[in-house]
């Protein structure tokens, strides 16, 4: 590694590609061993890694030796996957049910049943192979694959269900073994308590021994599985040898006649019998024999190379088990007749076959009596072996190997689930022990679950549920592969190419269909459990990012819809106030953020714009985290600019995407304008001018407790501590039955009415009453009020009252005038008092100041705004919110005078005030089309 850690041709610290640099999948958690772009740009050409604080490898050989000494046990594809999967696929159904299924369905349909099951498992195996080769797979098996592909919302429920299903499957296989042991004991007249309790005793003892083998470590468990595998191979050899041994009279009495063409032809076609005599019932009985394909994947953390072992081992296991199932079906169907009595006296002496029924008559046996009475106890359902106890050993090996495999799989999967901390109450079981990180606590939990269900001893109902749990896992594995493929994410690059997204989708659909066709009530129970666990995870929203295909799908949908919106013309009925909010750092202006969030959340776009002097990548992460914690649905967009106007001007032009573009600029009121540098006032007012020039609507929020204005963030220290500081504002309180007063002074297109309507749709504001104030005269007061009420009804806006301001043109009070004059006094030129100096000369040094002529020209406008403020203070002193139509600035109006107007309109209120102005285009309509 030290030799490979070389510098590139460009710089001594610009390294050649290194494997360790790509170990992390999250940008913020990437290793520090690769220098940043800033470092590469600023350091000298001869700088070394150590001089800039990056790690330098030391004594790699010693490290590798220590690693070899402490290396845990790892398995290859044969022992770790193929043998394990074959052992789980070969179960008691192979020895006790396959010949009976052949007798019912016939050789042809039995082969069809086997191949149909193999199609489902093979498609799932291809999906597993694709997922397993798309990056490094650690422990967790099927849960790890599903969760990393579809995310924690789907992966978490499957992890719980799949772990529980494996624990129950361990109990089922243990009970199957215990029942065979009990039957053997009864043959030798050995009874401990009774038939039921004997099963319980043998089952508990057996699962305890299997637990001890598991606790001894994966090495011992693997050796035990190899022993079981050898026993099964001997049983297979014993079976096939038995088919070639010339049958004795005792064998012929039970229906075994060796390979014969007439027997083979007779058994080709089905012969349905009893209530279970149908093709699909046979399929349902056989299918659980094929569900062990995940056994190798479940111990993915103990494999040398899971990406190679899982595809190769799983597919080879399916191939060889399929060959064995088909081979046994064909051979048993060619050697054994369907019905036999087992009675040696049924042999035919001479050539007298009168009244004889069945194929056995041609072979010298008369089984007519048992055929007519349907009391035949032998035939295809009987073992064809010449060595009974070797077949019994095969049954033992099949059931015990499956039980041991499930006992190991369940804790491994559950440990991975606990490590992910999706469900907080099970983290206790995540702890691992020893060099293999064995989940001893999870082993004990799985053991207790298995013992509990062994003691119940009534597992027929649970067996149906287990099959559905496994089918549900197959469904989601296939859907994971399909979803990841169809999302076209660049990160989906499996090295296993022999799969198709459409076959994966077929596997997912057929798995769901089989769930309902096998046991519909168990399928419903399975989905109810999955949906409940899904709801829990979705509600808690764990802070986990695995780069799932769901994220890729969300991106694709957002991109597709955004592009499709560009082809749709705007319509008044679909207008939404999409706000660009100049918050600066959002956590420093929480009131401004909360106000806009009140009428944009779940309705329209909100972008928090921050004009900064220098960009820091960490700022974005911290402030987005703050917004998420405050549950504000907003984007955060920092922009570097020398001053407010420059940054805002660029944000007005560049913010948004297609139709998802702001149409409303929201500012905080510059409360300290009198004490600020004149240049900052000029920037502030020019930003307002730019918004109107860009055809934006405008809102300015003023808080009486001092909302700081939208100045620049100059290298502020944004630490994670700022994220936890959540200041509560008035907009987070329940407003009760207060009023929202709207002073609709100018017809701006209706934005002044739309914003309060959107506010009252919120839970905190829905009890507020809206009052509309309009300008009028005393003579036409009632008529103007009725016209406005009629207009509001056509707009379908619920307004509590309409008030006509008949005294708005009266002269304001002297003290109000004096206060206004005093406020702008520092910003006046007083040019008429200075002889010999022109206004232009005075303006060169102070372009923001007000000349005496301008003061007189705008005197009437100033007085009307002062008078309007008096009316507002009289009527709306303690309301929940005041909205006032914003006056549009004239181009020749000095910035300081316009700033004084804004200050005057909202002066002296004890509630939040909003100066609002539409862009003179309709945002409301009373037409349907």
């Amino acid at each position: 590694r030290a030799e490979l850690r070389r510098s590139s041709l460009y710089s001594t610290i610009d390294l050649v590609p290194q494997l360790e640099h790509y170990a992390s999948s999250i940008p913020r958690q990437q290793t520090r061993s690769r220098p940043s772009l800033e470092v590469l740009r600023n350091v000298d050409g001869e700088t070394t890694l150590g001089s800039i604080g990056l790690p330098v490898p030391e004594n790699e050989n010693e490290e590798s030796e220590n690693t070899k000494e402490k290396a845990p046990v790892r398995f290859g594809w044969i022992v770790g996957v193929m043998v394990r999967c074959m052992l789980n696929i070969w179960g008691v159904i192979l020895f006790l049910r396959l010949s009976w299924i052949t007798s019912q369905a016939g050789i042809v349909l039995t082969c069809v049943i086997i191949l149909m099951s193999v199609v489902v498992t093979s498609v799932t195996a291809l999906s597993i192979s694709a997922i397993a080769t798309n990056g490094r797979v650690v422990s967790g098996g099927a849960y790890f694959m599903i969760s990393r592909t579809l995310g924690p919302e789907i992966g978490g429920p499957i992890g719980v269900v799949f772990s529980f299903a494996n624990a129950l499957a361990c109990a089922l296989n243990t009970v199957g073994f215990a029942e065979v042991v009990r039957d053997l004991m009864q043959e030798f007249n050995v009874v401990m308590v009774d038939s039921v309790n004997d099963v319980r005793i043998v089952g508990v003892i057996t699962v305890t021994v299997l637990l001890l083998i598991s606790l001894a470590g994966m090495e011992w468990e693997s050796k035990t599985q190899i022993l079981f595998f050898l026993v099964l191979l001997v049983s297979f050899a014993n079976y096939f040898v038995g088919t070639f041994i010339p049958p004795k009279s005792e064998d012929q009495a039970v229906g075994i006649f060796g390979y014969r063409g007439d027997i083979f032809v007779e058994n080709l076609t089905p012969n349905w019998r009893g209530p279970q005599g149908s093709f699909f019932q046979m399929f349902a009985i056989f299918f659980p024999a094929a569900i062990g394909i995940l056994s190798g994947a479940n111990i993915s953390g103990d494999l040398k190379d899971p990406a190679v072992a899982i595809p190769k081992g799983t597919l080879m296991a399916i191939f060889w088990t399929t060959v064995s199932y088909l081979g046994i079906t064909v051979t048993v169907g060619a050697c054994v007749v369907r019905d036999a009595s087992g009675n040696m006296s049924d042999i035919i002496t001479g050539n007298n076959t009168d009244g004889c029924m069945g194929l056995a008559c041609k072979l010298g046996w008369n089984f007519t009596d048992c055929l007519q009475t349907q009391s035949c106890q032998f035939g295809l359902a009987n073992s064809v072996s010449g060595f009974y106890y070797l077949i019994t050993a095969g049954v033992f090996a099949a059931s015990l190997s499956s039980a041991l495999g499930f006992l190991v799989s369940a804790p491994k999967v559950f440990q991975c689930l606990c490590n992910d901390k999706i469900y907080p109450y099970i983290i206790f079981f995540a702890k691992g022990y020893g060099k293999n990180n064995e989940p001893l606590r999870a082993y004990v939990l799985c053991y207790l679950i298995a013992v509990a269900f062994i003691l119940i001893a009534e597992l027929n109902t649970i067996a149906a549920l287990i099959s559905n749990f496994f089918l549900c896992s197959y469904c989601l594995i296939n859907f994971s592969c399909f979803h990841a493929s169809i999302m076209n994410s660049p990160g989906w690059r499996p090295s296993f190419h022999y799969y198709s997204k459409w076959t994966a989708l077929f596997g997912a659909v057929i798995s769901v269909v089989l769930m309902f066709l096998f046991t519909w009530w168990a399928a419903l129970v399975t989905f109810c459990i999955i949906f409940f666990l899904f709801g829990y995870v979705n509600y808690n929203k764990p802070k986990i990012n695995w780069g799932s295909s769901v994220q890729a799908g969300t991106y694709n949908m957002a991109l597709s819809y955004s592009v499709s919106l560009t082809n749709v013309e705007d319509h008044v009925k679909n207008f939404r106030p999409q706000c660009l909010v100049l918050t600066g750092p959002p956590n420093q202006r929480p009131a401004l953020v909360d106000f806009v969030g009140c009428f944009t959340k779940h309705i329209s776009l909100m972008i928090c714009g921050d004009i900064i002097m220098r960009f820091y990548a960490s700022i974005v992460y911290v402030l987005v985290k703050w917004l998420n914690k405050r549950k504000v649905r907003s984007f955060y967009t920092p922009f570097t600019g020398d001053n407010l106007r420059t940054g805002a001007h660029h944000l007005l032009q560049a913010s948004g995407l297609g139709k998802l573009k702001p149409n409303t600029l929201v500012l905080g009121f510059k409360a300290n304008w009198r004490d600020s540098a004149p240049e900052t006032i000029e920037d502030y007012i020019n930003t307002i001018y730019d918004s109107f020039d860009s055809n934006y609507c405008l809102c300015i929020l003023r808080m009486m407790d001092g909302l700081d204005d939208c100045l620049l963030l100059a290298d502020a220290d944004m630490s994670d501590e700022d994220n936890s500081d959540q200041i509560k504002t008035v907009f987070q309180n329940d407003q009760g039955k207060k009023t929202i007063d709207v002073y609709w002074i100018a017809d701006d297109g209706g934005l002044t009415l739309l914003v309060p309507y959107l506010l009252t749709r919120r839970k905190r504001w829905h009890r507020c009453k809206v009052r509309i104030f309009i300008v009028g005269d005393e003579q036409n007061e009632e008529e103007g009020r009725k016209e406005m009420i009629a207009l509001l009804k056509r707009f379908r806006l619920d307004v509590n009252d309409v008030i006509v301001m008949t005294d708005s043109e009266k002269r304001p009070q002297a003290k109000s005038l004096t206060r206004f004059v005093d406020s702008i006094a520092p910003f006046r030129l007083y040019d008429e008092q200075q002889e010999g100096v022109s206004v232009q000369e005075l303006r060169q040094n102070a372009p923001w100041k007000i000349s005496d002529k301008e003061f007189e020209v705008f005197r009437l406008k100033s007085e009307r705004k002062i008078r309007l403020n008096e009316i507002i203070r009289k009527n709306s002193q303690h309301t929940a919110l005041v909205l006032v139509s914003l006056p549009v600035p004239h181009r020749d109006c000095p910035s300081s005078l316009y700033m004084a107007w804004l200050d005057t309109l909202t002066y002296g209120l004890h509630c939040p005030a909003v100066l609002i102005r539409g862009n003179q285009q309709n945002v409301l309509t009373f037409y349907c089309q």
Side-chain angles (χ1 to χ4, degrees):
R1 286 174 55 196
E3 292 177 358
L4 290 175
R5 199 177 175 85
R6 296 197 305 265
S7 300
S8 68
L9 299 175
Y10 302 133
S11 170
T12 55
I13 64 169
D14 196 3
L15 303 176
V16 297
Q18 304 286 322
L19 177 64
E20 62 197 43
H21 292 171
Y22 298 91
S24 176
S25 57
I26 302 176
R28 284 178 56 84
Q29 296 178 358
Q30 286 179 356
T31 177
R32 290 186 63 249
S33 57
R34 180 193 291 141
S36 66
L37 287 174
E38 184 179 3
V39 170
L40 290 175
R41 292 185 65 212
N42 295 331
V43 298
D44 298 329
E46 301 302 321
T47 305
T48 62
L49 289 174
S51 64
I52 58 173
L54 294 176
V56 180
E58 295 179 3
N59 251 337
E60 297 284 345
N61 293 329
E62 291 182 7
E63 183 182 345
S64 61
E65 289 175 6
N66 293 335
T67 303
K68 285 183 180 179
E69 292 176 4
K70 300 177 182 178
V73 178
R74 294 287 184 255
F75 305 110
W77 69 273
I78 296 178
V79 176
V81 181
M82 188 185 77
V83 170
R84 193 173 296 273
C85 288
M86 291 176 72
L87 285 171
N88 270 328
I89 294 173
W90 285 332
V92 292
I93 290 177
L94 170 67
F95 292 96
L96 303 181
R97 277 288 178 261
L98 186 57
S99 58
W100 174 73
I101 294 172
T102 306
S103 71
Q104 289 265 356
I107 296 174
V108 174
L109 290 184
T110 301
C111 291
V112 171
I113 288 172
I114 293 171
L115 292 176
M116 286 176 60
S117 302
V118 169
V119 166
V120 177
T121 55
S122 298
V123 168
T124 306
L126 294 177
S127 298
I128 292 172
S129 302
I131 298 173
T133 58
N134 188 54
R136 183 183 176 189
V137 177
V138 294
S139 62
Y143 158 71
F144 182 88
M145 297 179 191
I146 295 173
S147 61
R148 269 52 177 183
T149 306
L150 292 180
E153 293 83 3
I154 301 295
I158 280 299
V160 174
V161 169
F162 191 65
S163 302
F164 189 64
N166 276 273
L168 295 190
C170 173
L172 277 175
N173 283 277
T174 305
V175 169
F177 167 79
E179 288 178 350
V180 176
V181 173
R182 177 199 62 189
D183 295 340
L184 282 176
M185 291 167 59
Q186 289 177 351
E187 288 185 15
F188 293 98
N189 296 319
V190 177
V191 178
M192 289 182 285
V193 181
D194 53 51
S195 60
V196 176
N197 286 307
D198 284 0
V199 171
R200 292 170 176 166
I201 294 171
V202 174
V204 171
I205 294 173
T206 303
V207 79
T208 304
V209 172
L210 295 178
L211 174 67
L212 294 176
I213 295 173
S214 302
L215 294 178
M218 287 299 297
E219 195 171 2
W220 282 95
E221 187 270 346
S222 178
K223 291 178 180 178
T224 306
Q225 292 285 34
I226 292 175
L227 175 63
F228 289 147
F229 184 70
L230 293 176
V231 172
L232 280 171
L233 290 182
V234 171
S235 297
F236 276 119
N238 171 50
Y239 162 76
F240 284 109
V241 168
T243 62
F244 287 100
I245 295 176
K248 301 176 182 178
S249 297
E250 292 83 359
D251 297 327
Q252 292 180 350
V254 295
I256 303 172
F257 292 93
Y259 289 103
R260 296 186 62 90
D262 48 0
I263 295 177
F264 179 76
V265 173
E266 175 72 17
N267 289 333
L268 280 176
T269 55
N271 184 10
W272 307 116
R273 301 178 184 182
Q276 292 183 322
S278 68
F279 175 81
F280 190 77
Q281 285 294 328
M282 294 300 108
F283 183 55
I285 291 171
F286 175 80
F287 185 78
I291 63 174
I293 61 170
L294 296 178
S295 302
N298 286 339
I299 63 160
S300 54
D302 297 298
L303 301 175
K304 292 178 181 177
D305 188 355
V308 173
I310 291 175
K312 198 172 182 180
T314 304
L315 292 173
M316 288 298 291
I318 292 175
F319 173 77
W320 288 117
T321 52
T322 303
V323 169
S324 64
Y325 277 128
L326 291 174
I328 291 174
T329 299
V330 173
T331 54
V332 77
C335 295
V336 187
V337 295
R338 279 194 169 95
D339 298 291
S341 64
N343 191 347
M344 292 294 295
S345 63
D346 286 339
I347 191 171
I348 298 176
T349 56
N351 295 322
N352 184 15
T353 59
D354 294 339
C356 184
M357 296 173 56
L359 179 63
C361 299
K362 299 179 182 179
L363 304 176
W365 290 84
N366 187 355
F367 301 135
T368 304
D369 291 341
C370 75
L371 280 171
Q372 290 177 341
T373 60
Q374 297 183 355
S375 60
C376 297
Q377 298 180 359
F378 300 95
L380 271 182
N382 190 56
S383 172
V384 297
S385 172
F387 304 94
Y388 171 73
Y389 293 107
L390 279 178
I391 289 297
T392 302
V395 175
F396 284 0
S399 57
L400 289 177
S401 63
S402 296
L404 182 58
F406 289 124
L407 183 61
V408 170
S409 297
K412 294 282 185 180
V413 174
F414 195 65
Q415 182 189 34
C416 183
L417 173 66
C418 297
N419 277 324
D420 289 336
K421 300 179 181 179
I422 297 176
Y423 300 100
Y425 304 107
I426 59 174
I427 299 175
F428 171 80
F429 298 99
K431 185 174 177 59
Y433 297 86
K435 59 184 180 180
N436 273 53
N437 195 33
E438 295 290 347
L440 300 186
R441 296 176 180 177
Y443 274 129
V444 174
L445 177 64
C446 178
Y447 168 77
L448 294 176
I449 293 173
V451 167
F453 282 94
I454 289 171
L455 294 177
I456 292 174
E458 292 292 335
L459 296 179
N460 290 336
T461 302
I462 303 299
L465 201 58
I466 291 173
S467 295
N468 274 270
F469 283 170
F470 279 105
L471 278 170
C472 187
S473 301
Y474 290 175
C475 169
L476 286 175
I477 287 173
N478 284 301
F479 183 76
S480 299
C481 181
F482 167 76
H483 196 266
S485 300
I486 206 167
M487 288 301 107
N488 294 321
S489 173
W492 176 250
R493 302 184 302 275
S495 57
F496 181 85
H497 301 293
Y498 305 103
Y499 75 97
S500 168
K501 58 187 175 185
W502 302 116
T503 56
L505 179 62
F506 168 77
V509 173
I510 200 66
S511 297
V512 174
V513 171
L514 291 177
M515 287 176 67
F516 282 95
L517 290 179
F518 284 173
T519 318
W520 65 267
W521 63 264
L524 291 178
V525 171
T526 303
F527 280 112
C528 287
I529 294 173
I530 293 292
F531 286 137
F532 172 77
L533 295 172
F534 169 81
Y536 177 84
V537 178
N538 195 50
Y539 177 78
N540 282 340
K541 291 182 172 52
K543 296 177 180 178
I544 296 173
N545 182 9
W546 290 325
S548 67
S549 62
V550 174
Q551 294 176 357
T554 303
Y555 175 84
N556 284 352
M557 289 177 62
L559 187 61
S560 176
Y561 288 141
S562 298
V563 172
S564 64
L565 273 177
T566 59
N567 300 320
V568 179
E569 294 185 6
D570 293 330
H571 195 282
V572 177
K573 291 196 298 183
N574 291 326
F575 176 86
R576 299 160 188 261
Q578 302 188 140
C579 299
L580 170 61
V581 193
L582 295 187
T583 58
N587 58 357
Q588 295 185 13
R589 293 171 180 82
L592 190 58
V593 172
D594 291 340
F595 166 67
V596 180
C598 284
F599 64 87
T600 59
K601 190 174 184 179
H602 301 298
I603 294 175
S604 60
L605 174 70
M606 177 180 174
I607 299 176
C608 290
D610 185 5
I611 302 161
I612 56 179
M613 300 295 292
R614 186 179 179 188
F615 180 78
Y616 295 98
S618 59
I619 291 178
V620 178
Y621 174 78
V622 171
L623 293 177
V624 169
K625 188 177 178 183
W626 183 88
L627 288 169
N628 292 335
K629 186 175 182 180
R630 205 171 182 84
K631 297 181 179 179
V632 176
R633 292 170 64 97
S634 173
F635 297 100
Y636 170 70
T637 304
F639 193 91
T640 55
D642 296 332
N643 53 56
L644 173 65
R645 185 186 184 186
T646 302
H649 184 69
H650 287 103
L651 282 174
L652 288 169
Q653 297 179 75
S655 295
L657 179 69
K659 290 297 177 70
L660 296 177
K661 181 178 176 61
N663 54 28
T664 304
L665 178 67
V666 183
L667 300 170
F669 182 76
K670 190 172 179 61
N672 63 344
W673 66 279
R674 293 186 187 86
D675 303 322
S676 300
E679 294 82 2
T680 61
I681 301 176
E682 193 80 7
D683 275 349
Y684 185 82
I685 299 303
N686 284 331
T687 300
I688 295 175
Y689 293 169
D690 291 340
S691 70
F692 287 128
D693 292 339
S694 301
N695 204 33
Y696 269 61
C697 305
L698 182 66
C699 290
I700 300 176
L701 175 67
R702 182 172 189 176
M703 302 292 293
M704 292 306 103
D705 54 356
L707 173 71
D708 45 3
D709 58 18
C710 44
L711 295 177
L712 298 177
L713 170 63
D715 296 340
D717 179 19
M718 303 299 298
S719 63
D720 282 334
E721 295 178 358
D722 294 327
N723 181 60
S724 61
D725 185 17
Q726 294 285 344
I727 301 172
K728 190 169 184 179
T729 66
V730 66
F731 297 107
Q732 293 178 312
N733 298 330
D734 190 329
Q735 303 300 320
K737 295 184 179 180
K738 295 180 181 179
T739 60
I740 299 175
D741 289 351
V742 180
Y743 290 83
W744 198 14
I745 308 302
D747 186 358
D748 60 350
L751 183 68
T752 309
L753 296 180
L754 182 61
V755 169
Y757 164 72
L758 295 175
L759 284 172
T760 55
R761 292 173 60 178
R762 294 293 173 198
K763 184 178 180 181
R764 296 188 183 99
W765 295 81
H766 78 282
R767 291 191 295 166
C768 290
K769 298 177 180 179
V770 179
R771 298 191 301 178
I772 306 295
F773 292 81
I774 59 174
V775 177
D777 52 50
E778 293 182 1
Q779 295 179 352
N780 301 314
E781 178 182 356
E782 191 61 29
E783 182 180 350
R785 185 173 180 273
K786 289 181 178 180
E787 288 180 358
M788 179 55 63
I789 291 175
L791 178 63
L792 294 172
K793 283 184 177 180
R794 299 189 74 176
F795 283 153
R796 303 171 304 284
L797 298 175
D798 187 14
V799 176
N800 184 62
D801 195 8
V802 174
I803 301 169
V804 180
M805 298 180 293
T806 58
D807 55 350
S808 60
E809 295 187 1
K810 290 183 179 179
R811 185 175 175 80
Q813 298 178 9
K815 62 179 182 179
S816 299
L817 280 171
T818 303
R819 183 177 60 248
F820 176 78
V821 172
D822 292 343
S823 68
I824 63 172
F827 301 94
R828 292 185 62 180
L829 286 174
Y830 296 107
D831 51 287
E832 293 183 357
Q833 300 177 12
Q834 301 182 37
E835 297 181 359
V837 182
S838 66
V839 176
Q840 288 73 17
E841 292 175 345
L842 294 172
R843 276 280 169 83
Q844 287 180 355
N845 298 324
W848 56 85
K849 289 198 172 184
I850 309 166
S851 67
D852 293 341
K853 182 180 180 181
E854 289 170 336
F855 181 77
E856 291 299 324
V857 168
F858 292 107
R859 176 184 291 276
L860 182 58
K861 294 181 180 296
S862 300
E863 290 180 357
R864 288 182 176 176
K865 292 169 180 60
I866 297 169
R867 176 58 187 158
L868 180 58
N869 174 254
E870 291 177 347
I871 296 172
I872 295 172
R873 283 188 288 132
K874 177 182 177 182
N875 294 290
S876 308
Q877 190 66 252
H878 298 287
T879 58
L881 182 67
V882 173
L883 294 98
V884 185
S885 294
L886 177 76
V888 177
H890 295 275
R891 293 192 180 276
D892 55 350
C893 179
S895 58
S896 54
L897 179 59
Y898 185 70
M899 191 71 231
W901 288 352
L902 301 183
D903 183 39
T904 299
L905 282 170
T906 54
Y907 170 79
L909 297 177
H910 298 290
C911 63
V914 178
L915 294 168
I916 184 169
R917 185 77 189 205
N919 60 359
Q920 305 303 107
Q921 296 178 4
N922 286 351
V923 301
L924 297 173
T925 182
F926 47 76
Y927 285 108
C928 293
Q929 71 272 21

